[in-house]
Amino acid sequence: MATIYQVSELAGVSLATVSRVINNTVPVREATRIKVEAAMKELGYRPNSVAQSLASNRSNSIGIVVSELGGPFYGELLSRIENEFRAAGKHVIIAAGHSNADLERDSIEFLRGRNCDALILHVEAVDDKYLTELAATGLPFVLINRMVETIEDRCITLDNDRGGYLATEYMLKLGHRDIAYISGPLWKHDAQERYNGHQSALTKFGLSENKALFYEGDFQETGGVNGFNHLRDHGYSFTALVCANDEMASGAITAAHEAGLRIPEEIAVIGFDNINFSHYTYPKLTTIDYPVAEIGQMAARWVLKRVYQRPIDDLKAVFMPKLIVRDST
Amino acid sequence: MATIYQVSELAGVSLATVSRVINNTVPVREATRIKVEAAMKELGYRPNSVAQSLASNRSNSIGIVVSELGGPFYGELLSRIENEFRAAGKHVIIAAGHSNADLERDSIEFLRGRNCDALILHVEAVDDKYLTELAATGLPFVLINRMVETIEDRCITLDNDRGGYLATEYMLKLGHRDIAYISGPLWKHDAQERYNGHQSALTKFGLSENKALFYEGDFQETGGVNGFNHLRDHGYSFTALVCANDEMASGAITAAHEAGLRIPEEIAVIGFDNINFSHYTYPKLTTIDYPVAEIGQMAARWVLKRVYQRPIDDLKAVFMPKLIVRDST
DNA sequence: GCTATAAATGAAAGCGCTTTCATAATAGGC
DNA sequence: GCCTATTATGAAAGCGCTTTCATTTATAGC
């Protein structure tokens, strides 16, 4: 690869001048600019962004940490973030945290070491203290789907509590009274909040929770299958099932089919997230919409505004979930 | 962030020595190593990988270009590749090419500029010539799901032709004779190959293709819906439908449901890829398995072997698709 | 104890770029 | 046409690290 030095030689100017035309920071005489551009073209020159990054302490790249690379949820999130930054001429570097504190820290450190200008984090395992300290280092970052009081201005969240409430409230309004709940792992903030919402709805309707109708799943499809079977075996009957995400709802539906139950006639099922396959299920899944794309976009804009001083004004921190009624209830 | 210089000062040794203990390239006396490690720990030192990369011309990171970040297919691919490299202490930098030649080139150049040690490419739009030239620059890269003769040793592919054949052959064996086909965009290599396979199967059974039963879709769910409706409207009836991927098959199934047709009794449907949601459909989708995870793993291993000299011997270049029979046929 | 050899360490250049500061070129004012 | 105010350009330091080469220190052999 050609270097800036070769370009400067060919164009008969100094390195500094070439650098100026690349970044157009300082005006350069038209004639000079043309010479330089010609030289760059002739050599097929492309700036080495590693060197740029080292010299300028700016990398034009944004680090992203998500739990998993796969899956409909993260896929959509990443996709949207990437689009937003691409349009702004920035690039993303993605790392997976696998919901594990060490790996999350690792990924964050890796991205810091790569000189990312900012980070977008969807981390679940590291504690609030770590994040607070990280903020204190001066590294700009946004936190998605998690509220940490000490760095509240960096958090972009969904009102999960409200979402959990909506799901159960809807079942209650439909007349169901025996409502089972399959939760996500309760150490995860969002799982806990959704579950709280579920409980609030029950309370609001003057019902008390029946612990026998609760199951703590893993946010995966198998969790839904296991949860459903566990709840059925347990003896208490229920006419409605609220799942803390769509994957588990899908698993539960499969298990229900296998048990020969009709949905929604015998059991109504609702999910959470509204991920893109939720209408592939049969019957199509009623769910709570998680506006992933919007949240991804907002996170990107936060960075564009705070770090790159782009004029953006409608930053929004808390998103509201919406009920999406389809055929499973 | 602390620099290597501060570490060397605190430990009372030279930069060079610190560098040696970091990389343990050259033996360092035990006592010295301990001093240095203590200093690193005290300062919370982490090497700046940008500087490392510039100085060593090695970045320990691998660039990946895929068409999209979202979607079950790429999600699984990325996920697997990332896992493989993480285990080897390498990191990945991901960019999206969006099936567009300019963006693909852009992404590749970006990754080159970031000093990636190697690239894994799933690109569809750039031409063979570009890739051949790219190989000539000495940049190590593997090509996934595409065969370019001039750089055959860098290609890891699925025998799409065979897959297309298997799908249609299976329908023929079931006794179907009026078989519709919804293809992917034919400018894409894999779509073309799958279609070729379909034709071969027909020929093998002594049938000639009925052009009225062909529709060129977009590999998306809507393509399946539109394709199905188009084929139905067209007047020719068919008892089996072969789709060039699962998304379109899923769309077609939805459209068939809406048209009040029973699957598989009235129309048998088969997909291609065996992506993870293919068993969420109703009825569960019969499909051709695309071993994405294995292919991702193989690509990663190719890099580990060729670029990082890891001892790996079972590199495999062509994968075979398999028929997965479920309930839609 | 003294030299010959091997092992550990340090000094310094350099990776490709940005950026400050100084200098050279140009324009403007009279 | 000369002096000053601008503007464009160049020289050189430095970003944080690796790596070569030279030097120092330890080890062995006699």
Side-chain angles (χ1 to χ4, degrees), chain A residues 93 95 106-114, chain B residues 46 49 91-92:
Chain A
I93 302 185
D106 237 46
S107 298
I108 292 174
E109 294 299 332
F110 164 71
L111 294 170
R112 285 227 283 169
R114 291 252 113 209
Chain B
R46 273 218 137 221
S49 56
H91 282 274
V92 301

Side-chain angles (χ1 to χ4, degrees), chain B residues 19-78:
Chain B
S19 172
R20 283 172 193 128
V21 351
I22 293 171
N23 303 294
N24 59 101
T25 39
V26 160
V28 167
R29 197 149 38 105
E30 195 55 21
T32 317
R33 143 166 287 117
I34 289 174
K35 268 194 305 186
V36 172
E37 279 168 349
M40 297 204 295
K41 189 149 189 190
E42 185 175 338
L43 293 170
Y45 172 75
R46 273 218 137 221
N48 176 325
S49 56
V50 171
Q52 287 184 311
S53 173
L54 182 61
S56 66
N57 206 25
R58 253 304 162 82
S59 64
N60 278 323
S61 58
I62 294 92
I64 305 183
V65 180
V66 288
S67 299
E68 301 296 336
L69 258 26
F73 185 86
Y74 296 113
E76 198 173 344
L77 181 69
L78 292 175

Side-chain angles (χ1 to χ4, degrees), chain B residues 79-143:
Chain B
S79 188
R80 188 53 170 267
I81 294 176
E82 201 255 359
N83 276 336
E84 201 75 14
F85 282 128
R86 180 181 287 279
K90 311 291 175 195
H91 282 274
V92 301
I93 301 185
I94 300 168
H98 299 288
S99 302
N100 171 114
D102 287 338
L103 291 179
E104 286 182 356
R105 261 193 297 269
D106 238 45
S107 299
I108 292 172
E109 293 300 333
F110 163 71
L111 294 169
R112 286 226 282 168
R114 296 245 65 144
N115 252 15
C116 287
D117 297 337
L119 263 38
I120 294 180
L121 306 177
H122 185 295
V123 290
E124 312 181 291
V126 292
D127 57 22
D128 291 3
K129 182 158 161 288
Y130 173 80
L131 292 168
T132 308
E133 287 169 6
L134 187 64
T137 66
L139 208 220
F141 68 87
V142 215
L143 204 53

Side-chain angles (χ1 to χ4, degrees), chain A residues 275-290:
Chain A
I275 56 181
N276 55 15
F277 76 66
S278 58
H279 55 280
Y280 293 160
T281 60
Y282 181 80
K284 292 182 183 172
L285 191 63
T286 293
T287 191
I288 301 293
D289 183 52
Y290 188 125

